[in-house]
Amino acid sequence: MPLLVDGRRVRLPQSAGDLVRAHPPLEERARLLRGQSVQQVGPQGLLYVQQRELAVTSPKDGSISILGSDDATTCHIVVLRHTGNGATCLTHCDGTDTKAEVPLIMNSIKSFSDHAQSGRLEVHLVGGFSDDRQLSQKLTHQLLSEFDKQEDDIHLVTLCVTELNDREENENHFPIIYGIAVNIKTAEIYRATFQDRGPEEELRAARALAGGPMISIYDAKTEQLQIGPYSWMPFPHVDFWLQQDDKQILENLSTSPLAEPPHFVQHIRSTLMFLKKYPSPTNTLFPGNKALLYKKNKDGLWEKISPPGS
């Protein structure tokens, strides 16, 4: 079934700009989102989603009330929500394999068994800008096309991507919105930034940089964050990259060097150091080849828990 806006079938392919011009409520929602001030989201009740990760939960969750992600330049943050049971998925897509990722997003919502109750599927796409290599434009098109191919009706509610999320300064282009959060209980989506990107921030970033596919990181039934076990091949030329100056790292390891947030190079360096330290993580980081499990404690912060039988 098709992708719908205001109950009408979306005509694809068309650019994000053309799409919102054909559907004024979309344009208005994008304008309102861009106009918000950025909220600093604290760690309590937060599940932070990194690049190529997916997390899904519902209002019944006693531990998680907010899903969020940021540092999206050419990447897009996708929120899919079922209005009947409130099941909400947030993911950070970078265009590696959109064809495989959209069905993953769809299935994550369908895994909440009361999916059949009344309500509809609503999707929100945020991120990207008018970058030189048109990577954002390509990702926008891929996501819209793949959602349009799904069996279910999907209602496009927010489209604030690529040229709709672009600002220009001294002839350079930048995203307006780099990050968003969604409140699971109220369904509110708002501009956000996050100091706490854990747990295991470096390990999770290393998996993505080493080429790992999109994966789900949270089990809403047990309310546990599950990390790994991951495996990766030794990162090619890691010593060479660690010897490069900031400019070289920025120009070669970013999809959009001018638009990256200030901490980008430091983040890449620490991730490369991590990959150098753990060229083959299976045995060193995941004893017994078991997942690392985390749960929110009574203060709403992540705490490592021992797997059964350890």
Side-chain angles (χ1 to χ4, degrees), residues 13-130:
Q14 52 183 340
S15 71
D18 290 341
L19 195 47
V20 297
R21 281 186 286 277
H23 301 276
L26 272 183
E27 192 158 27
E28 176 63 8
R29 283 193 285 267
R31 189 185 66 76
L32 288 172
L33 190 61
R34 288 192 303 265
Q36 287 182 3
S37 53
V38 181
Q39 296 187 39
Q40 173 80 50
V41 177
Q44 277 87 358
L46 167 69
L47 172 46
Y48 182 85
V49 176
Q50 289 204 28
Q51 193 168 331
R52 286 194 216 161
E53 290 183 343
L54 168 160
V56 61
T57 190
S58 80
K60 293 176 182 169
D61 195 316
S63 303
I64 300 299
S65 49
I66 295 166
L67 297 175
S69 190
D70 62 358
D71 288 357
T73 49
T74 54
C75 292
H76 291 11
I77 300 167
V78 178
V79 175
L80 182 68
R81 183 172 181 275
H82 189 275
T83 60
N85 58 23
T88 305
C89 172
L90 183 142
T91 183
H92 186 130
C93 297
D94 61 8
T96 329
D97 192 356
T98 309
K99 198 181 273 294
E101 290 165 4
V102 168
L104 267 180
I105 296 167
M106 294 293 293
N107 289 335
S108 74
I109 291 292
K110 290 179 178 179
S111 67
F112 285 78
S113 55
D114 47 358
H115 172 74
Q117 70 188 74
S118 61
R120 64 183 204 174
L121 288 167
E122 295 185 343
V123 70
H124 308 263
L125 306 178
V126 180
F129 67 111
S130 299

Side-chain angles (χ1 to χ4, degrees), residues 144-220:
L144 290 170
S145 302
E146 290 307 319
F147 276 113
D148 195 47
K149 288 175 190 165
Q150 301 306 305
E151 289 175 359
D152 305 77
D153 278 354
I154 301 165
H155 297 261
L156 179 61
V157 177
T158 307
L159 187 67
C160 191
V161 292
T162 310
E163 65 263 45
L164 306 168
N165 190 41
D166 183 77
R167 67 179 181 86
E168 203 175 331
E169 194 179 300
N170 305 328
E171 295 183 10
N172 293 320
H173 290 263
F174 301 88
I176 297 169
I177 300 173
Y178 282 88
I180 58 167
V182 56
N183 183 316
I184 307 297
K185 317 285 189 208
T186 66
E188 182 200 358
I189 291 174
Y190 52 95
R191 293 182 64 176
T193 182
F194 311 87
Q195 277 176 326
D196 183 55
R197 296 181 170 89
E200 306 289 353
E201 182 187 352
E202 285 188 329
L203 168 54
R204 291 157 67 188
R207 184 198 72 87
L209 193 61
M214 172 79 70
I215 50 160
S216 174
I217 55 166
Y218 185 68
D219 183 342

